[in-house]
Amino acid sequence: MSWQIRGEYMETCNCAYLCPCIFTNLTARPTEGECKAAVAMRIDAGEKDGTDLSGTAFMMMIMSPGPMADGDMTVGLIIDDAASAAQVQAVTEIASGQAGGPMAALAPLVGTFAGIERRPVRLEGEGMSRRATAGELVEQSCTGVAGGARPEEPLHIGNTAHFANDRLALARNGQSRFDAFGIRWDDASGDRNGHFAPFAWAG
């Protein structure tokens, strides 16, 4: 059966701003040798197989030992602990690429699926700021990089191969603290990479 979801996305990663994955279509080596990222997704509306997914949030924890295009990535999934069993199943199928859609293209690059954790997952913000948490496992925030013509709006990069949206706001991290599935990072320098955007997926 077909499915569709839409909502808001944000992430930070340990690459120095601007992450080279974005402008090399995943072929560049991360600036720190390996990439660690927390990708937060909040579904504002949508359903799969008759299961309403509105209000469900989740995070994908990603670790790549080198260029993402080379594969062997580790991915773990954190799903909001308020989600029902049917919602957990639907989100897992979507996020893993089993249900098709944008994540299906990334699935062949995943070497290890690290499992699923349940925590309160939140994604909030407006304007230039975004913040996402997953219980004690993840706390991250970012601020958009001001544009020149309209400094109240972030710079954007378009026509990307990113799975969330092909047009992303450019941002720098505020707090980035990860400790999930063996993926650990803690940085508040403001020099690391971030993005945010609306998303609309279907399969």
Side-chain angles (χ1 to χ4, degrees):
M1 295 179 65
S2 62
W3 57 269
Q4 58 171 345
I5 56 174
R6 61 177 175 82
E8 293 292 326
Y9 135 87
M10 77 155 286
E11 70 174 294
T12 63
C13 75
N14 68 323
C15 281
Y17 175 86
L18 175 65
C19 174
C21 290
I22 295 299
F23 56 84
T24 66
N25 295 322
L26 307 184
T27 61
R29 178 168 293 279
T31 63
E32 307 307 306
E34 63 180 12
C35 179
K36 301 175 182 180
V39 179
M41 316 289 292
R42 187 189 72 222
I43 302 172
D44 294 330
E47 60 82 30
K48 182 181 184 299
D49 299 339
T51 298
D52 184 8
L53 297 176
S54 304
T56 304
F58 63 97
M59 282 196 194
M60 293 176 284
M61 302 301 301
I62 299 173
M63 196 284 288
S64 180
M68 285 190 169
D70 289 353
D72 198 26
M73 290 192 294
T74 297
V75 175
L77 189 58
I78 308 172
I79 302 176
D80 186 30
D81 60 5
S84 68
Q87 289 172 327
V88 169
Q89 180 177 346
V91 166
T92 301
E93 292 172 355
I94 291 169
S96 67
Q98 297 174 48
M103 295 306 297
L106 194 68
L109 303 179
V110 177
T112 302
F113 179 67
I116 299 172
E117 293 280 357
R118 304 290 304 278
R119 294 292 191 282
V121 179
R122 303 289 181 267
L123 169 53
E124 302 169 325
E126 60 183 359
M128 298 282 275
S129 299
R130 296 293 185 277
R131 180 176 184 268
T133 58
E136 81 287 3
L137 300 179
V138 179
E139 177 186 1
Q140 64 174 348
S141 61
C142 67
T143 301
V145 175
R150 293 178 299 280
E152 73 279 4
E153 298 178 14
L155 286 169
H156 286 83
I157 186 168
N159 195 28
T160 75
H162 199 283
F163 54 80
N165 192 322
D166 65 6
R167 183 175 186 267
L168 306 173
L170 304 185
R172 296 179 187 270
N173 79 310
Q175 174 67 53
S176 296
R177 182 181 55 78
F178 311 160
D179 190 355
F181 309 107
I183 302 169
R184 297 181 178 91
W185 180 47
D186 193 345
D187 182 276
S189 67
D191 294 329
R192 304 289 112 179
N193 190 74
H195 297 295
F196 54 88
F199 77 92
W201 290 355

